[in-house]
Amino acid sequence: MSESPFQTEPHPRDEAPQFVLPLVVRLEKADPPGRTDALETAARAVLVLLSDERALGDGEWAQTVRDWQDARIRKVVRRARGAEWRRAGELPGITVTGKAAEVRVFAPVPLDGWPKELAKLQVSGTDLDDPQEPSAADPGVPVLWMSPEVEMSAGKAMAQAGHGAQLAWWELSDEERSAWREAGFPLAVRTARPERWRELTASGLPLVRDAGFTEIAPGSCTVVAEHPALRSR
């Protein structure tokens, strides 16, 4: 497995200029999305950006994506509603929709260089609930397993799900990436049972260890990415 960019030990990528991937979730007071829907939509948004032609080769976002990936892989989720959401939609980015969730993802920006329309958005306190227990994931669908041991706000969990999706993406071959993209990036986010979590963290599948910038302790294991193509190796 390739070296995880989410490790907490000192590393040369700490010396590089630091960037962050902004994600904005639409959170209207009257009709917020379910938590799992928001997590799955955020993870898909990260994959959509990584595979977008603007982020590849000589695309207009490609250099900032490379700079971001050369440093710590930070993602920050902020929330918007009403006019805030409309203003966010006017900035270059990609809006990804789930069952009810809407998440807009933007090219990475310097850690202290957020566009003013996004810098004013709230980052803390983003919390959501599922109206009912999520059903089992469909067979053959990639699953991002969340830790049953770490409590996170919905915003933090959305960022972690995005991390897991990105690690899976990096582990896949070009052919496997193309197949996933052409299928529309199907995936599920579920919380593992404790005994299952122990198996997953020892399985060799992509594992996110959080750097501890917000909410949780450095080195916390938060997500295991179980893509069928990675299980077959």
Side-chain angles (χ1 to χ4, degrees):
M1 185 187 303
S2 60
E3 185 181 70
S4 169
F6 305 105
Q7 63 182 353
T8 58
E9 294 80 9
H11 191 277
R13 59 170 56 93
D14 292 320
E15 304 301 319
Q18 299 296 304
F19 288 76
V20 61
L21 185 80
L23 296 115
V24 177
V25 57
R26 185 177 187 180
L27 210 58
E28 302 291 349
K29 281 185 176 179
D31 192 22
R35 182 183 176 98
T36 297
D37 186 16
L39 267 59
E40 292 173 347
T41 305
R44 286 177 49 235
V46 171
L47 294 167
V48 168
L49 180 128
L50 290 172
S51 63
D52 191 280
E53 61 182 13
R54 289 168 289 184
L56 302 172
D58 296 324
E60 61 189 280
W61 297 342
Q63 186 59 55
T64 55
V65 169
R66 286 192 289 269
D67 291 342
W68 168 60
Q69 293 182 142
D70 285 343
R72 291 289 186 182
I73 310 299
R74 302 190 194 203
K75 300 177 183 70
V76 172
V77 177
R78 299 192 172 188
R79 64 183 189 272
R81 63 174 181 262
E84 295 172 332
W85 175 254
R86 290 191 292 275
R87 284 193 291 271
E90 292 169 358
L91 297 176
I94 306 168
T95 298
V96 177
T97 58
K99 295 180 180 71
E102 294 180 72
V103 174
R104 189 162 179 82
V105 61
F106 303 88
V109 298
L111 202 56
D112 57 357
W114 285 69
K116 66 179 188 297
E117 295 89 347
L118 303 182
K120 0 175 126 166
L121 300 178
Q122 300 249 349
V123 63
S124 62
T126 302
D127 215 354
L128 298 167
D129 295 310
D130 281 317
Q132 57 191 25
E133 187 74 17
S135 59
D138 292 337
V141 170
V143 181
L144 304 173
W145 293 103
M146 308 296 293
S147 170
E149 301 169 352
V150 181
E151 291 189 10
M152 295 179 277
S153 68
K156 178 70 173 180
M158 289 169 70
Q160 297 299 298
H163 291 342
Q166 186 167 4
L167 286 185
W169 177 255
W170 283 345
E171 291 288 333
L172 297 173
S173 67
D174 288 344
E175 184 179 354
E176 290 161 347
R177 288 180 181 180
S178 294
W180 199 11
R181 180 176 60 247
E182 288 167 11
F185 293 120
L187 58 84
V189 176
R190 297 292 184 270
T191 299
R193 295 185 183 279
E195 62 277 10
R196 176 71 170 135
W197 181 248
R198 289 190 290 272
E199 294 172 1
L200 287 163
T201 55
S203 67
L205 290 167
L207 170 65
V208 177
R209 293 181 184 271
D210 190 62
F213 295 120
T214 60
E215 287 194 30
I216 60 179
S220 298
C221 297
T222 57
V223 182
V224 172
E226 186 178 27
H227 190 291
L230 301 179
R231 267 294 188 197
S232 62
R233 292 177 182 172

